[in-house]
Structures are given as structure tokens and as C-alpha cells.
């Protein structure tokens, strides 16, 4: 029996140990250790799931490291300078927590370095922005993520073809050019971008194509060839296109303020003065089709927009620095010939619209005269140079076809010296005309004694117009050019009220406008200089021709005048088509068209035989007006029917309530009330409402 009791007691103790229910001895310290073999059924995710979410993964550290190859190989004496240059380049992408410069046995850097950022996104931005970055003439960075090396090592030897992707139809970005009547689109924006509207300039009334509220946060801009519509936002720029205006691409540049397209729409330039606070460049050039940063710049000195000016084929772009002209080439985005042109006193420049030739002018310096120079790119040869004396200012005006260049020169008439200082007295003006298509580029001069208020080249042709004279007595002079001849005064229109000139894109027709307040407009045919119409648009602030030269829009911006903001549409002859007033109207822009594919001979032949098509066009116009009248009649009939339907529904309700009205009015039918037949007396009740007494001192 004693052995059985001992066995039972031993088994009971064993069960207590298994069930973890042993009672501690009061004299011994309690133990909180799990027994051997104990398995906890509660996972770490249930206990500390919020902490485990922030647990760093092993790959995070690798993804934050970049490898920069192509770094100059230097010794210990130049290592510190190299490190400061590298830190300046890469610190703007994020916080650098570690960097390593491998050395060979002679303590010379091996030409590649490792940089670790605080987060993977900074490393990705650094790779995108600095790959193929030229640090000097002999060294170009090749930058990769450290994790890319492992990815490339694990590429299988056997190639497996990818799965076929479903076909995705490309959006037609040039659909608007297929409009059968060649109607152009234009955009309208109101204050704050609410709303933004796209219209088709149909006759007799424009047709709304698209309208979106809050489409932009600042302004909108068409690309030079009309392919894209750019909207500006706090976080960057978005491009839209296609029949439904879908988003094509977006470019992240915090608080962007200005944008500019290259002429061929290959590149986009964005500017943000606050970008340095967001680890971005102030001035960035983007590849539009890929959405990638090609290069960023830190402008020196106060910026004058546009900072960059592009050549007609997107191969070159240039900017002015302190006494230097820097010309860059694409797609490398490096300096042409790896150096800038030193030009002390350079003030302005402009590219030819048709050739890779730029014109710049340099101001006077002591006994050295001012100079206007035509420079060929990329050779940098001077095609022509002209010295000028007593120059105050110059303005460069290229003719659209690139055949002529006009430089408006403001000169001092005479000078005198007083106490060792030179003082200039009086001003006069002249135009220096360069004939680029003639041998040795001859230069003609046209002198005008009066003040110049406006200058404009005819887009198609060789005529230019000038507004000159006193403010109270202005004249408009037209000059014509021919190869081998000096400029000839064609016509002088005296006593005109205007301060701005707007040529038709097709040439020949011009609008002379006064944008100072009264908004007077004069439409002139320069073929015989007849005034087709003289009218006005009060407080007009803008005049815009459509790309075909058939219509003109005059607009009054809300920014200039709070009275009747909106836009009016005119024919090229000055006949008003429609008046469109909009609250808080700000800006109207025509959608540009790409250059015509017709040769000059084909265009000339069409103009010569235009009478053949006149009957067809007139018949089409009559049909369109008849259709418009029919649509207007149908629209009015539909509105009348809608009103009658509503009126009948209200009458039915009124009739159904008649018995109740009789009950409330003692069976007196007030619906057809007649005081003679109903024997109803009329009573007028007057009662006092309120009296106020104000004592005037």
C-alpha cells in the first residue's frame, strides 16, 4: 500500500509539472521561465504587430546605396576636394549617411565610389538625375543602384519569351487637324482655373468641346505644335491630349512657376524658385516622351524668363551668363565644345526661326563700340558683325522665314562732357536690316527721328510695320524689302489711335489696336492699304489671330478690367461674329497648328486659282447658315414645347385643388371673380408698420 501511495504521489507531481501548476515555495523566489518544451500559441504579430510593421528589411539598406563610376582618380592630397564636390552634387537628393572611396595599393581612388542615402527613393532620384552627368571634360558619371548588380547576376541563361500583352490603341494626338472645315480650337480659362474650357470655332457660334472644373491650379499652355495641353499644379506639370484630353505625361516639380516647350516638342523646361527646399533643381529640362530628367540647372543671377532659348530643330539651346554665352547641345545636354563663349557686355540674343544661327548684341565699353553679331552654330563662325555707336538699347526681331533680321537701335543724338563725365542729350532711333539670303549679308539702315512704340514683321512676306510719333499724334509706317534693294516706305497712315500691331499668320492683313483703355481697332488690307473697318472693343487687353488667319479674337481680361470681361470673335475683315461675356474671364489661347506640308509653289498656285473654289465655299457657307437657322428654329420650338408641357402640368394641379379653394372661400369662385356678377365688395385695409425719425445735424 505504501508503494502504491508513493507511485500515485509521483504521478500527481508529474502531472502538475506538465500542467505548469506547481505552487511556489514561500521561501524560494518565483520562477517565470517557461518549462522545457513549452510552445506559446500566441504569435508575435498578434502581440507587437504595430512594431513589426516598422521592422527594416534586409534589402532596404541595399536599395539605398548607389555606385558611381567614372569618378576622377586622385591621391590623398586631392581626396578632400573630390569629396566636397561629390557631396555638393548628391546632397540635394537626400541625406547621405555613408560614403566609401575605395583605394588601390598606392592610396589612389579607383574611379568608383559607394554612396548610401537615408531612403531608397533618394537613391533612385540620384541615379535618374546624375547618370551620364559630366563632371568635367574627361569624366562622365555612370550611376547605378547597388541592388541592380544582384539583379543582373540572377539573369537566367535560358531566355524565356515574355507573355504577349493585349493591344492598347494609341491616342491620336493630331486628330484636330482632320477637322473637314479646318475650324481651330481655342482654350478659355477663368480666375483660379475654374472652369477651363476648350472650344471649336464653328460658324455661326463656337461649339464647346471640353469643360472641366479645377483642371489647373495656375494657368494652361499649348505646346508649340498644338500636340499637348499643359496644366500647372502645385506638384508639377501634366500634359493632356487626344480626342478626350486624357493625361499623357506628368512631371513632378514642386511649386513650378514657369514652363517652356522646345520648338519640336521634344523637351520641356520647368522652373521653380522654391525647388531647392524639396531636393529638386530650380531649372529642369525633361524629355517629354519618356518623362525623364535630362539635366537640372541652378541659374546664376536673377532669372529672366525664358532662361533658355532653343534652336529651331531642338539640337541646341543657349543662355546668357555673366559676360558669357553658353550654348548646349542635345541629347548630351553638355556645353558645345565643352566651353562657353566669353562675350563681355552681352545683353541679349535670339535664334533664327529657320537656321542654326543666333544673333546677339554687346553693349559699348569705353572706346569699344557696341556690336551686333550673327554667329553660326556649331562652328561658332561669325557670319556678319556690325559696329554701332552711341547705343542705349537694342531689340532683336527675326522675320519668320529667317530671310531678314531687324535690330531696333535706340541711340543718343549727341553727348557733351562736364567735369570729366559724359552726358548724352536727346534720342533717335534706327533699324538695322540684315539680308541673310544675299552674299556677304548686306545691312541697310532705316532712321526714324520719332519715338518707336511698336514693330512687327509680316509673317509671310517681307514687309514690316512701325508705330511712331508722339502719343497724341501717332503714325503707322509700312516698309517693303526686296533682294538687292534698300527698304522702301510703302505707306504712312497718319493720326492713328493705336499702340500695338497684330499681323495675320497668313500675311497681308493687320489689326492696329489700342490696348490702353478705349480699345479702338482698325482692320487694314496691306495689299492696297485700305481700311476695311474701324471699330472698338472697350478696354480690350488682348488681340489673337487664329492659326489660319481667318478669324480674330479680341478679349478683355478680368485682370485688367472688372467691367464686361470676355471675348469677341471677328472675321479678318473686321465683321463681328459673336460676343461672349464671362465672369472672371482671364485668358484665351488658340491651339497652334504645325507647319504646312505644302511647298511655297503649291501655296502660290492655290492662291492663284482661289476663284475656282469660291463658288464651292460660298455654297457651303449658305448651307451652313441655313442649317444653323433650322437648328435655331428647332431649338426655339423645343423650348416652347417644354414650357407648354410645364404649364399644362401646373394647370392640372391647380384644377385638382379647386374644390378645396371653394371650401376655404365660402363657395366663392375667386378663380373667375367678377365683382358685378358675384356681388362681392372690395375692401382696402391699411395698417401702420413702422415709423423712424432721423435727426439731421
Amino acid at each position: 500500500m505504501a508503494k502504491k501511495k508513493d507511485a500515485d504521489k509521483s504521478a500527481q507531481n508529474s502531472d502538475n509539472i506538465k500542467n505548469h501548476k506547481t505552487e511556489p515555495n514561500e521561501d524560494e523566489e518565483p520562477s517565470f521561465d517557461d518549462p522545457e518544451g513549452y510552445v506559446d500559441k500566441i504569435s508575435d504579430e498578434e502581440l507587437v504587430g504595430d512594431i513589426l510593421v516598422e521592422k527594416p528589411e534586409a534589402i532596404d539598406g541595399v536599395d539605398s546605396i548607389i555606385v558611381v563610376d567614372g569618378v576622377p582618380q586622385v591621391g590623398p592630397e586631392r581626396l578632400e576636394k573630390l569629396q566636397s564636390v561629390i557631396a555638393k552634387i548628391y546632397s540635394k537628393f537626400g541625406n547621405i549617411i555613408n560614403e566609401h572611396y575605395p583605394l588601390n595599393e598606392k592610396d589612389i581612388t579607383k574611379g568608383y565610389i559607394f554612396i548610401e542615402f537615408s531612403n531608397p527613393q533618394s537613391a533612385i532620384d540620384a541615379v535618374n538625375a546624375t547618370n551620364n552627368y559630366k563632371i568635367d571634360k574627361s569624366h562622365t558619371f555612370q550611376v547605378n543602384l547597388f541592388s541592380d548588380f544582384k539583379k543582373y547576376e540572377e539573369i537566367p541563361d535560358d531566355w524565356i519569351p515574355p507573355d504577349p500583352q493585349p493591344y492598347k490603341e494609341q491616342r491620336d494626338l493630331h486628330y484636330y487637324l482632320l477637322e473637314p472645315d479646318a475650324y481651330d480650337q481655342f482654350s478659355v480659362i477663368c480666375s483660379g482655373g475654374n472652369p477651363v474650357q476648350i472650344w471649336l470655332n464653328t460658324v455661326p457660334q463656337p461649339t464647346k468641346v471640353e469643360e472641366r472644373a479645377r483642371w489647373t491650379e495656375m494657368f494652361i499652355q499649348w505646346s508649340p505644335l498644338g500636340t499637348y495641353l499643359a496644366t500647372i499644379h502645385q506638384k508639377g506639370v501634366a500634359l493632356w491630349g487626344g480626342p478626350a484630353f486624357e493625361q499623357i505625361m506628368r512631371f513632378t516639380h514642386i511649386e513650378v512657376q514657369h514652363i517652356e516647350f522646345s520648338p519640336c516638342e521634344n523637351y520641356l523646361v520647368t522652373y521653380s524658385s522654391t525647388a531647392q527646399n524639396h531636393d529638386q533643381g530650380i531649372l529642369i529640362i525633361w524629355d517629354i516622351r519618356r518623362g525623364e530628367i535630362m539635366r537640372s540647372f541652378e541659374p546664376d543671377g536673377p532669372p529672366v524668363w525664358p532662361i533658355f532659348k532653343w534652336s529651331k530643330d531642338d539640337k541646341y539651346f543657349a543662355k546668357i551668363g555673366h559676360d558669357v554665352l553658353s550654348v548646349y547641345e542635345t541629347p548630351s545636354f553638355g556645353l558645345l565644345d565643352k566651353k562657353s563663349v566669353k562675350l563681355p557686355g552681352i545683353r541679349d540674343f535670339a535664334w533664327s526661326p529657320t537656321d542654326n544661327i543666333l544673333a546677339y548684341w554687346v553693349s559699348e565699353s569705353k572706346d569699344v563700340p557696341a556690336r551686333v553679331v550673327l554667329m553660326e552654330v556649331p562652328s561658332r563662325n561669325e557670319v556678319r558683325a556690325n559696329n554701332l555707336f552711341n547705343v542705349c538699347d537694342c531689340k532683336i526681331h527675326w522675320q519668320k522665314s529667317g530671310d531678314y533680321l531687324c535690330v531696333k537701335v535706340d541711340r543718343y543724338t549727341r553727348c557733351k562732357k562736364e567735369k570729366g563725365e559724359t552726358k548724352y542729350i536727346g534720342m533717335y532711333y534706327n533699324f538695322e536690316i540684315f539680308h541673310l539670303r544675299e552674299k556677304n549679308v548686306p545691312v541697310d539702315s532705316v532712321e526714324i527721328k520719332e519715338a518707336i512704340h511698336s514693330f512687327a514683321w509680316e509673317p509671310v512676306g517681307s514687309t514690316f510695320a512701325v508705330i511712331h510719333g508722339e502719343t497724341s499724334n501717332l503714325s503707322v509706317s509700312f516698309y517693303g524689302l526686296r533682294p538687292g534693294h534698300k527698304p522702301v516706305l510703302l505707306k504712312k497712315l497718319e493720326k492713328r489711335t493705336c499702340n500695338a500691331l497684330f499681323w495675320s499668320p497668313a500675311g497681308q492683313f493687320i489689326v492696329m489696336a489700342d490696348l490702353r483703355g478705349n480699345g479702338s481697332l482698325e482692320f487694314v488690307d496691306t495689299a492696297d492699304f485700305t481700311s476695311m473697318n474701324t471699330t472698338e472693343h472697350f478696354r480690350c487687353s488682348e488681340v489673337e489671330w487664329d492659326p489660319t488667319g481667318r478669324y480674330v479674337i479680341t478679349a478683355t481680361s478680368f485682370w485688367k478690367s472688372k467691367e464686361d470681361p470676355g471675348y469677341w470673335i471677328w472675321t479678318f475683315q473686321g465683321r463681328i461674329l459673336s460676343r461672349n461675356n464671362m465672369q472672371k474671364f482671364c485668358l484665351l489661347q488658340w491651339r497652334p497648328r504645325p507647319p504646312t506640308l505644302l511647298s511655297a509653289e503649291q501655296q502660290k498656285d492655290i492662291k492663284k486659282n482661289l476663284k475656282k473654289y469660291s463658288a464651292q465655299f460660298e455654297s457651303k457657307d449658305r448651307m451652313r447658315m441655313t442649317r444653323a437657322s433650322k437648328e435655331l428654329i428647332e431649338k426655339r420650338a423645343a423650348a416652347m414645347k417644354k414650357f407648354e408641357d410645364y404649364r399644362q402640368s401646373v394647370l392640372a394641379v391647380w384644377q385638382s385643388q379647386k374644390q378645396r379653394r371653394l371650401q376655404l372661400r365660402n363657395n366663392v369662385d375667386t378663380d373667375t371673380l367678377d365683382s358685378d356678377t358675384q356681388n362681392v365688395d372690395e375692401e382696402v385695409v391699411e395698417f401702420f408698420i413702422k415709423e423712424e425719425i432721423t435727426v439731421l445735424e
Side-chain angles (χ1 to χ4, degrees):
M1 290 294 292
K3 291 182 179 181
K4 184 177 180 182
K5 289 181 180 180
D6 293 338
D8 293 340
K9 186 176 181 179
S10 177
Q12 184 178 0
N13 291 337
S14 177
D15 291 340
N16 290 338
I17 292 175
K18 289 181 181 180
N19 295 328
H20 202 55
K21 294 181 180 179
T22 54
E23 297 182 1
N25 191 343
E26 295 181 358
D27 298 334
E28 296 179 0
E29 293 183 0
S31 175
F32 297 97
D33 295 335
D34 293 328
E36 185 177 354
Y38 175 76
V39 178
D40 194 349
K41 296 181 180 180
I42 302 177
S43 63
D44 293 340
E45 285 74 11
E46 295 181 71
L47 289 174
V48 289
D50 55 338
I51 298 177
L52 291 177
V53 171
E54 301 177 1
K55 178 182 178 182
E57 299 180 3
I59 196 173
D60 286 348
V62 178
D63 280 348
S64 300
I65 300 175
I66 65 172
V67 183
V68 184
D69 199 1
V71 178
Q73 298 181 0
V74 299
E77 68 281 358
R78 297 179 58 193
L79 179 59
E80 184 176 351
K81 182 178 180 180
L82 175 63
Q83 290 175 337
S84 64
V85 172
I86 296 295
K88 182 178 179 181
I89 295 174
Y90 286 97
S91 59
K92 60 184 179 182
F93 299 105
N95 183 28
I96 298 176
I97 60 176
N98 193 12
E99 56 184 355
H100 177 58
Y101 291 75
L103 306 175
N104 60 17
E105 61 278 0
K106 297 182 180 180
D107 291 338
I108 297 176
T109 58
K110 293 184 177 182
Y112 59 89
I113 61 174
F114 300 88
I115 299 176
E116 183 179 0
F117 290 93
S118 59
N119 60 78
Q121 186 59 45
S122 298
I124 294 173
D125 294 341
V127 171
N128 294 335
T130 62
N131 190 36
N132 295 321
Y133 177 82
K134 288 187 176 181
I135 189 174
D136 57 29
K137 298 179 180 180
S138 305
H139 298 87
T140 302
F141 288 166
Q142 301 296 325
V143 189
N144 293 280
L145 292 171
F146 187 80
S147 57
D148 289 343
F149 290 91
K150 183 179 180 181
K151 179 177 67 176
Y152 297 140
E153 287 178 355
E154 295 177 352
I155 295 177
D157 296 333
D158 297 332
W159 180 74
I160 301 175
D163 296 333
Q165 298 295 321
Y167 173 73
K168 184 178 181 181
E169 184 178 359
Q170 296 294 323
R171 289 158 288 203
D172 183 6
L173 300 180
H174 300 94
Y175 74 97
Y176 62 97
L177 299 176
L178 302 177
E179 214 286 322
D181 293 317
Y183 290 134
D184 287 290
Q185 294 183 1
F186 61 87
S187 61
V188 174
I189 182 173
C190 295
S191 179
N194 189 22
V196 175
Q197 300 173 343
I198 310 296
W199 292 83
L200 185 66
N201 188 33
T202 53
V203 176
Q205 292 292 332
T207 304
K208 188 184 295 183
V209 176
E210 191 76 23
E211 179 177 3
R212 298 182 189 177
R214 304 296 176 186
W215 200 353
T216 181
E217 296 177 13
M218 292 184 62
F219 59 94
I220 60 177
Q221 182 174 324
W222 293 103
S223 60
L225 303 180
T227 308
Y228 308 103
L229 175 68
T231 58
I232 316 303
H233 308 269
Q234 194 273 338
K235 292 185 178 180
V237 182
L239 298 187
W240 311 79
F245 286 94
E246 303 173 27
Q247 188 176 107
I248 307 299
M249 188 64 67
R250 49 183 189 172
F251 310 90
T252 302
H253 197 180
I254 304 299
E255 296 182 9
V256 63
Q257 296 165 318
H258 300 285
I259 68 169
E260 181 196 12
F261 289 89
S262 63
C264 297
E265 301 181 343
N266 292 318
Y267 307 104
L268 176 69
V269 183
T270 60
Y271 172 83
S272 173
S273 61
T274 60
Q276 54 189 349
N277 300 326
H278 304 280
D279 298 330
Q280 283 187 300
I282 294 178
L283 194 65
I284 299 178
I285 300 180
W286 306 79
D287 184 289
I288 289 180
R289 290 174 178 81
R290 294 182 294 167
E292 297 179 357
I293 296 177
M294 305 310 297
R295 184 170 176 180
S296 60
F297 293 84
E298 302 291 333
D300 47 346
V304 178
W305 193 258
I307 297 176
F308 291 123
K309 297 181 181 179
W310 293 81
S311 64
K312 54 96 182 178
D313 54 6
D314 284 8
K315 288 185 178 180
Y316 308 98
F317 61 98
K319 71 179 183 71
I320 291 179
H322 181 64
D323 292 338
V324 295
L325 176 63
S326 302
V327 181
Y328 300 84
E329 56 184 344
T330 59
S332 66
F333 291 87
L335 277 170
L336 181 63
D337 296 334
K338 302 179 181 179
K339 61 181 179 181
S340 299
V341 183
K342 293 185 178 180
L343 298 170
I346 185 171
R347 292 292 180 266
D348 193 15
F349 76 100
W351 287 93
S352 165
T354 55
D355 305 289
N356 286 332
I357 296 176
L358 57 81
Y360 65 86
W361 79 278
V362 179
S363 63
E364 291 185 76
S365 176
K366 296 182 180 179
D367 296 330
V368 180
R371 298 181 76 225
V372 176
V373 181
L374 296 176
M375 186 177 72
E376 191 177 40
V377 177
S379 64
R380 297 187 180 179
N381 295 329
E382 288 190 2
V383 178
R384 186 68 161 85
N386 199 27
N387 294 333
L388 304 170
F389 296 90
N390 299 333
V391 174
C392 172
D393 190 20
C394 289
K395 291 291 186 292
I396 301 173
H397 303 277
W398 279 98
Q399 189 228 15
K400 188 175 180 180
S401 62
D403 296 338
Y404 301 98
L405 169 69
C406 177
V407 179
K408 172 182 168 288
V409 185
D410 301 352
R411 297 175 184 261
Y412 301 106
T413 54
R414 61 186 184 273
C415 61
K416 64 178 182 179
K417 293 186 177 181
E418 293 183 358
K419 298 180 181 181
E421 295 183 0
T422 302
K423 293 187 177 181
Y424 296 93
I425 304 174
M427 295 284 294
Y428 74 99
Y429 310 87
N430 72 288
F431 299 101
E432 301 291 325
I433 312 295
F434 293 74
H435 300 248
L436 273 82
R437 305 305 181 196
E438 299 180 34
K439 187 177 180 180
N440 297 327
V441 190
V443 181
D444 292 325
S445 182
V446 177
E447 183 176 322
I448 297 180
K449 297 292 186 180
E450 300 172 314
I452 305 296
H453 300 274
S454 182
F455 173 93
W457 279 106
E458 182 184 14
V460 179
S462 55
T463 303
F464 64 87
V466 183
I467 300 178
H468 57 91
E470 298 296 329
T471 306
S472 59
N473 185 21
L474 296 174
S475 299
V476 182
S477 297
F478 294 86
Y479 291 85
L481 294 171
R482 287 192 302 162
H485 294 76
K486 292 185 177 181
V488 177
L489 178 62
L490 302 176
K491 186 70 175 179
K492 183 178 180 181
L493 305 177
E494 298 180 341
K495 296 182 179 180
R496 290 305 195 266
T497 306
C498 60
N499 69 333
L501 301 168
F502 302 93
W503 283 95
S504 164
Q508 184 177 343
F509 303 102
I510 189 172
V511 176
M512 303 186 304
D514 186 357
L515 306 182
R516 294 169 294 187
N518 60 2
S520 64
L521 305 168
E522 185 173 359
F523 295 78
V524 177
D525 182 356
T526 60
D528 52 7
F529 295 100
T530 57
S531 179
M532 298 181 292
N533 189 22
T534 301
T535 181
E536 69 175 27
H537 181 181
F538 185 64
R539 295 196 180 279
C540 171
S541 60
E542 300 172 32
V543 177
E544 296 287 346
W545 283 88
D546 80 314
T548 63
R550 295 182 295 174
Y551 304 99
V552 185
I553 280 185
T554 59
T556 301
S557 173
F558 176 78
W559 295 327
K560 181 177 180 180
S561 173
K562 304 298 186 292
E563 300 177 13
D564 298 329
Y567 61 93
W568 296 3
I569 304 179
W570 312 74
T571 66
F572 69 95
Q573 298 166 321
R575 179 169 57 88
I576 188 69
L577 294 178
S578 65
R579 294 177 174 88
N580 306 276
N581 293 331
M582 298 178 62
Q583 292 185 353
K584 296 187 177 181
F585 165 83
C586 291
L587 183 65
L588 183 146
Q589 293 178 321
W590 287 100
R591 186 171 193 170
R593 285 177 173 266
T596 179
L597 300 178
L598 299 177
S599 64
E601 290 75 14
Q602 290 173 318
Q603 296 180 55
K604 186 176 180 180
D605 184 64
I606 291 174
K607 291 180 180 180
K608 183 179 179 181
N609 301 308
L610 191 60
K611 291 184 179 180
K612 294 181 180 179
Y613 310 101
S614 297
Q616 178 184 350
F617 294 152
E618 290 173 0
S619 175
K620 201 170 185 178
D621 288 341
R622 285 194 297 268
M623 292 177 61
R624 186 182 298 111
M625 295 306 296
T626 303
R627 184 170 61 250
S629 300
K630 182 180 177 182
E631 291 175 355
L632 181 60
I633 293 172
E634 292 176 351
K635 184 178 180 180
R636 289 178 177 175
M640 180 60 73
K641 185 178 183 303
K642 183 178 179 181
F643 170 74
E644 286 296 334
D645 293 343
Y646 173 75
R647 183 172 180 273
Q648 292 300 326
S649 64
V650 174
L651 282 174
V653 174
W654 183 67
Q655 290 291 347
S656 65
Q657 296 173 346
K658 184 167 185 176
Q659 294 300 322
R660 181 57 178 164
R661 286 198 299 275
L662 292 173
Q663 294 175 6
L664 294 173
R665 298 169 185 174
N666 298 323
N667 292 322
V668 177
D669 188 2
T670 57
D671 299 341
T672 57
L673 185 63
D674 188 346
S675 59
D676 295 333
T677 59
Q678 297 278 350
N679 194 22
V680 177
D681 296 330
E682 293 185 1
E683 182 180 355
V684 178
V685 179
E686 295 182 359
F687 55 92
F688 181 76
I689 299 177
K690 185 179 182 181
E691 180 180 3
E692 289 185 357
I693 299 176
T694 303
V695 179
L696 300 178
E697 296 180 359

